[in-house]
Amino acid sequence: MAYQAGDTILDDEYNTFVNSSSSPFGYNHFAGTGAGAYGLGQTHIATVTGGATTITASQWNTLFTAMDNIANHTNDEGSMTTRSSVSAGDTIAIKAAVEADLATLAASVAGGCVNAEAIQESAELVSSASGTRWNGNHTVEQKITFSNNNNLRHFFNAGGKMRIKITRTGDGGSSATSKDSSMDELITGLGNFDLGAQVSTRSGTTEILTDGLANGVADLSSTYTQILLLTQDSGTYTSMTLKIEALVNNTDYTDATEVTIRTTLTDGDGTDGEYTDGNTDAVDQYAEFIGTTDVALHTMNPTTAQGLASVASISGSSEVSNNGGV
């Protein structure tokens, strides 16, 4: 409901600000345990009872401080109503925009806190390298695990992400081959790939993109969803691609405890043989190969640096499969 200066706020109206699980959402729903896209795992604010109970200045200040802390994390400070601590006898005038501010914060959480800056990259969690030079494809599956679904949701809702970084760590031949150079362009076009709660991103900008980046973990099911397909846009090897897909275990975002990313590097060129004695013609034996490639898994972890009292974290990470390049 809308409030104006001089209105009386009853306990059930205050409790809506604190605890509503339907729109307009209360603080506890988007900042506490929540459900689905809502919830950050913060301590719940107590509701009050008594019908016409007076809401104390301390209770208001608890709510306002909690809202400010979430705004600091979501980077919504500039959109929030400026308030100072309240005292007994203050009028409703300073509370007039509470409902609008709560809606702003709920929307930011539901979007995966994409503007949050208190996010830190982890050390490399999993390294999945091809065993040697390769042609055909190098396909890797890597996953992160959470102790329960609430932790998974709270991690991603707070701005947490799975990050993929790819490097070529060796040459296809005695030096870099033309296929190496083409694969390097795809890797640069990807940059850092981040799988977030509601959307995914890449830091690279080049190559031809088949875009599924509007998908985040909240959109995944137990079968793979294609998030991104990059295709080489120039030169001889325009059949070369880099694909990223993802899935969750169980059913979806409401019960998942694992997220798996499958990364596939593909050399679609059919010229894959070796140049051996008698047919080298001064060509490197492995001129049609790609050097060793490594797919590294990281996480982008929410921190308590800008308002959150606690953050959810993964319980483990692992390589599910690695064909090593075939």
Side-chain angles (χ1 to χ4, degrees):
M1 63 180 294
Y3 294 94
Q4 299 177 2
D7 284 354
T8 297
I9 293 188
L10 304 179
D11 68 331
D12 56 346
E13 295 163 346
Y14 170 83
N15 287 346
T16 296
F17 289 151
V18 170
N19 211 40
S20 174
S21 59
S22 59
S23 183
F25 295 108
Y27 173 88
N28 288 344
H29 188 68
F30 65 75
T33 301
Y38 298 98
L40 296 173
Q42 304 305 287
T43 300
H44 282 213
I45 295 174
T47 56
V48 297
T49 59
T53 298
T54 299
I55 308 304
T56 67
S58 175
Q59 288 165 327
W60 278 118
N61 288 333
T62 295
L63 175 60
F64 292 160
T65 298
M67 290 170 62
D68 287 344
N69 287 338
I70 300 303
N72 287 339
H73 180 75
T74 59
N75 221 2
D76 283 318
E77 306 100 309
S79 302
M80 303 293 286
T81 302
T82 300
R83 300 183 178 92
S84 56
S85 296
V86 300
S87 301
D90 285 350
T91 68
I92 189 83
I94 58 172
K95 299 109 180 171
V98 174
E99 187 174 85
D101 288 348
L102 287 167
T104 295
L105 297 177
S108 290
V109 173
C113 293
V114 294
N115 294 319
E117 296 177 347
I119 308 292
Q120 186 173 40
E121 183 183 81
S122 73
E124 184 179 79
L125 300 175
V126 180
S127 171
S128 299
S130 61
T132 182
R133 61 177 58 87
W134 59 274
N135 48 41
N137 61 72
H138 179 199
T139 302
V140 168
E141 293 176 295
Q142 300 161 319
K143 74 177 180 180
I144 57 173
T145 304
F146 297 84
S147 58
N148 55 61
N149 175 253
N150 281 341
N151 282 355
L152 181 149
R153 292 188 304 102
H154 297 162
F155 174 86
F156 285 103
N157 290 350
K161 300 173 181 69
M162 287 181 76
R163 170 166 283 186
I164 296 294
K165 295 181 174 182
I166 304 174
T167 54
R168 183 174 60 82
T169 55
D171 293 333
S174 58
S175 59
T177 65
S178 295
K179 286 189 175 182
D180 283 332
S181 298
S182 190
M183 180 57 67
D184 289 346
E185 291 176 4
L186 280 179
I187 292 171
T188 299
L190 179 69
N192 293 333
F193 170 81
D194 289 337
L195 175 65
Q198 303 292 333
V199 297
S200 301
T201 61
R202 61 166 180 154
S203 62
T205 58
T206 58
E207 310 312 316
I208 299 171
L209 172 66
T210 301
D211 188 353
L213 294 174
N215 291 300
V217 181
D219 301 297
L220 302 180
S221 68
S222 58
T223 59
Y224 275 114
T225 295
Q226 182 174 298
I227 307 295
L228 170 151
L229 177 67
L230 287 182
T231 303
Q232 175 58 260
D233 65 357
S234 63
T236 304
Y237 304 109
T238 53
S239 58
M240 193 172 287
T241 61
L242 189 164
K243 180 168 66 174
I244 294 181
E245 306 161 282
L247 58 74
V248 295
N249 68 332
N250 298 330
T251 306
D252 54 28
Y253 200 53
T254 65
D255 63 2
T257 58
E258 298 176 355
V259 185
T260 301
I261 290 180
R262 181 166 66 188
T263 304
T264 304
L265 309 176
T266 299
D267 167 21
D269 178 67
T271 309
D272 293 334
E274 298 179 24
Y275 295 92
T276 56
D277 289 343
N279 71 339
T280 58
D281 195 25
V283 176
D284 190 296
Q285 179 179 353
Y286 299 107
E288 302 297 340
F289 283 73
I290 296 169
T292 51
T293 45
D294 179 76
V295 180
L297 172 66
H298 298 251
T299 51
M300 299 296 291
N301 300 326
T303 76
T304 58
Q306 293 183 351
L308 296 185
S310 62
V311 291
S313 60
I314 69 172
S315 60
S317 58
S318 62
E319 179 183 271
V320 178
S321 67
N322 178 9
N323 76 0
V326 293

